Amino acid sequence: MIGLADASLLLVVAIFAVSAGCIGVAGWRLSLVADKLADRTGMGEIIAGALFVGAATSLPGAITSVTTALQDAPSLAVGNALGGLTAQTAFIAVADLFYRRANLEHAAASTTGLAQGVLLVALLAVPLIASVQPPITVWGIHPASLLIPVGYGFGLKLLARIQDEPMWNPVQTDETRETVSDPDESENATSDRSLWLRFFLYAGVTAAAGYFIGESSIALVDKTPLSESAVGTLFAAVANSLPELVTAIAAVRIGAVSLAVGDVIGGNAFEVMFLCVADFAYDGSIYEAMTDQDRTTGLIAMLMTAVLLLGMLRREKFGIGKIGFESALVLLLYAGSVALLFV
């Protein structure tokens, strides 16, 4: 571990900022590679967003949660995971501003997208329930940390079935966009091997930057009056979630609206699994370390997801100015969750 206890506050902030920048740039490149991999594999943008971009762009957050849990900073690890949920969901609303043709909830509505959101709500309920129950551990691991990845695997299988054999579909409109290829590169211009090499290269950059986000976040807690929960929920979570923001904006600008939504919701599912990994790294139950503020953040994330799903069901074509009503409400809820950190 690279400790920053003796470093100046200015150096710590600089390391944090540079790491966040690396995460943002690498995340944007990941979005372009993932869109091409979605076309090559035939998985569709929602599934590709969950597996390729959702997993890879979540690496920095996972590394941050693990390193902070190992260094006995559980509130920072939990805040990073749950804060990422609210930040990334808010990023869908931000991406809505960049899609001019219609509200993003209207254009990206799909059965797999809705199912993915329901899966996220179910996964998020597990750690919240575990946090208010007696701290049961087996070999230092809470049973919830085994249940969550099993539930996620089952959910992915269900998503694939829904995509292949949907029992119902949203009405297709001129603004509904499911799969859009990158017009700047032909299908065979880049080999599959080259795409995968680039994918893992950018993923590695984000993972390394996530480590430094964790180290600098611990130093920020030591050098400022901010609590672990505040630094984790606001600063570390937002920095580690930058790939989702850049990816969502890049995706909607090329018309891949389903990839944008799949990336964010899929990334949110991995945020929940950060808690499982952190529980393995932490000496004790990570869920027992969750504070009332952490539970509030998790419940707000659940509410934001429900609002987003309702927007996809209602499918308002045009909303308030250039943003849908549900997107505006999601941003308001996120602002409320940030305000609560300082109350």
Side-chain angles (χ1 to χ4, degrees):
M1 299 278 180
I2 299 176
L4 297 176
D6 298 329
S8 66
L9 179 59
L10 182 61
L11 178 59
V12 170
V13 172
I15 292 174
F16 187 96
V18 170
S19 299
C22 291
I23 289 172
V25 172
W28 172 63
R29 298 304 303 176
L30 267 176
S31 72
L32 302 181
V33 175
D35 190 39
K36 295 179 179 66
L37 287 173
D39 294 334
R40 300 286 179 89
T41 60
M43 297 179 70
E45 289 174 352
I46 287 287
I47 303 298
L51 286 177
F52 296 153
V53 190
T57 57
S58 295
L59 277 176
I63 298 298
T64 296
S65 288
V66 170
T67 55
T68 51
L70 281 171
Q71 297 180 68
D72 198 28
S75 293
L76 186 53
V78 172
N80 171 67
L82 297 181
L85 286 168
T86 54
Q88 291 173 187
T89 307
F91 291 162
I92 292 182
V94 174
D96 195 5
L97 292 169
F98 290 84
Y99 192 66
R100 307 285 181 169
R101 298 183 58 178
N103 290 336
L104 192 59
E105 299 98 323
H106 174 98
S110 68
T111 52
T112 45
L114 291 168
Q116 202 173 22
V118 173
L119 172 62
L120 171 61
V121 170
L123 291 176
L124 181 55
V126 176
L128 291 176
I129 293 172
S131 70
V132 295
Q133 298 302 312
I136 303 171
T137 59
V138 179
W139 293 311
I141 302 169
H142 195 285
S145 296
L146 302 176
L147 179 61
I148 291 173
V150 170
Y152 182 70
F154 174 79
L156 282 183
K157 184 177 181 180
L158 181 62
L159 284 174
R161 178 180 297 181
I162 290 174
Q163 177 173 314
D164 294 337
E165 301 175 358
M167 296 301 292
W168 60 272
N169 282 299
V171 174
Q172 299 293 302
T173 69
D174 292 338
E175 286 75 28
T176 304
R177 306 285 294 279
E178 173 61 23
T179 303
V180 178
S181 298
D182 187 350
D184 296 329
E185 184 172 349
S186 63
E187 180 69 16
N188 297 318
T190 306
S191 68
D192 288 347
R193 181 180 179 182
S194 176
L195 283 177
W196 282 111
L197 287 174
R198 287 161 53 189
F199 178 82
F200 287 113
L201 171 63
Y202 299 137
V205 171
T206 63
Y211 169 77
F212 286 102
I213 288 289
E215 294 300 305
S216 55
S217 294
I218 291 176
L220 284 175
V221 173
D222 293 336
K223 297 176 183 298
T224 66
L226 295 172
S227 66
E228 287 185 8
S229 292
V231 172
T233 303
L234 185 56
F235 297 106
V238 171
N240 286 321
S241 299
L242 283 176
E244 275 73 16
L245 173 62
V246 181
T247 296
I249 294 175
V252 298
R253 288 176 69 89
I254 64 173
V257 293
S258 293
L259 178 62
V261 174
D263 163 43
V264 171
I265 300 180
N268 279 352
F270 278 95
E271 295 284 342
V272 179
M273 292 212 282
F274 291 173
L275 295 174
C276 305
V277 182
D279 188 38
F280 277 82
Y282 182 62
D283 184 16
S285 170
I286 197 75
Y287 310 103
E288 184 185 10
M290 290 176 65
T291 64
D292 289 342
Q293 179 60 63
D294 293 327
R295 282 185 281 271
T296 299
T297 301
L299 289 170
I300 291 177
M302 192 178 290
L303 179 58
M304 292 170 71
T305 303
V307 170
L308 176 64
L309 295 178
L310 288 173
M312 294 174 69
L313 288 170
R314 191 165 75 103
R315 300 195 70 191
E316 181 187 36
K317 193 169 184 180
F318 298 104
I320 307 170
K322 296 179 180 179
I323 190 171
F325 172 77
E326 287 80 9
S327 293
L329 183 55
V330 163
L331 288 176
L332 183 62
L333 287 169
Y334 179 66
S337 70
V338 172
L340 287 174
L341 289 173
F342 301 98
V343 174

